[in-house]
Amino acid sequence: MSDRERSWLAPPEGVRRHAPATLRNRAAIATMLGDLLPASGRVLEVASGSGEHCAYFAEHFPKLEWHPSDPDPDALASIASWCEGLANVRPPVALDAAAATWPVRHADAILCINMVHISPWTATLGLMAGAGRLLPPGGPLILYGPYREAGLPTAPSNEAFDQSLRARNPGWGLRWFGDVAAAAEAQGLVFDRRVAMPANNLIVAFRRS
């Protein structure tokens, strides 16, 4: 990495954000990533948020190059702070999942944690379209978060979470897994696996056909 590229690793003081849930779920997610990610290559993280996940995973998977992203300038500054000094993390990039074009042309894997339910549906559709464009055949798109599933009861905690999300923004809320899978299939992404995670969350993985 050049000196110019390393300049992003010196953010202003006081910009580091903290998402408490990260401390609770990062180890469990990392365990699953060990089975889903390629041995080497670039992992694009969409909606990196605070940057804590990216920093943790970069340390645990040093053979992979991590590329965090987020549409929020304040989040980009926080990501830079958390990832300071990690040689296998590229500078964070401004990326809106719903946009028709992305500032990234290739990724060997795409990871998206807790975005699908805290964003408009257009962001999920854009995520699927982006994965269809960027991933090579067999490349994984890995999602983490809560979902509604046909034929299965939704946990009371997830129902309450859904109500709180919709109160904040009517376009947010837990998505039906069938709708997400259909959006993925429309972009050439094939369902790989569904894994139950702590706190009524799921890891859902698709692969580029």
Side-chain angles (χ1 to χ4, degrees):
M1 185 181 294
S2 68
D3 290 340
R4 181 181 62 81
E5 289 177 317
R6 287 187 184 280
S7 65
W8 70 273
L9 296 175
E13 292 184 5
V15 300
R16 181 175 289 192
R17 295 177 171 181
H18 173 56
T22 305
L23 298 177
R24 298 192 295 268
N25 62 34
R26 63 186 186 180
I29 295 174
T31 297
M32 288 306 307
L33 292 182
D35 293 332
L36 293 167
L37 292 174
S40 61
R42 179 182 297 179
V43 181
L44 171 64
E45 185 184 20
V46 175
S48 298
S50 68
E52 293 167 274
H53 277 127
C54 186
Y56 183 83
F57 299 147
E59 290 184 328
H60 282 70
F61 299 96
K63 293 183 179 180
L64 289 166
E65 180 186 65
W66 293 81
H67 199 169
S69 70
D70 204 277
D72 181 0
D74 291 337
L76 295 177
S78 179
I79 295 164
S81 179
W82 279 105
C83 296
E84 181 177 0
L86 296 175
N88 62 327
V89 179
R90 292 181 61 84
V93 63
L95 187 155
D96 180 355
T101 59
W102 288 3
V104 179
R105 296 184 178 181
H106 169 78
D108 297 292
I110 296 177
L111 174 64
C112 185
I113 296 173
N114 286 334
M115 182 202 81
V116 171
H117 56 286
I118 313 181
S119 62
W121 179 240
T122 52
T124 296
L125 296 178
L127 173 66
M128 300 306 178
R133 293 191 306 269
L134 269 64
L135 290 173
L141 167 64
I142 305 164
L143 310 179
Y144 172 89
Y147 293 88
R148 294 185 179 276
E149 298 180 274
L152 295 177
T154 303
S157 60
N158 279 352
E159 289 286 7
F161 185 39
D162 179 69
Q163 292 177 16
S164 69
L165 289 172
R166 295 182 187 279
R168 292 167 59 190
N169 187 320
W172 295 1
L174 271 63
R175 310 300 180 186
W176 285 97
F177 171 70
D179 294 339
V180 174
E185 183 178 357
Q187 299 296 335
L189 303 169
V190 178
F191 174 70
D192 181 8
R193 71 188 74 178
R194 166 202 178 279
V195 181
M197 301 292 286
N200 301 307
N201 287 295
L202 298 177
I203 277 186
V204 179
F206 302 89
R207 291 191 182 271
R208 185 71 171 87
S209 60

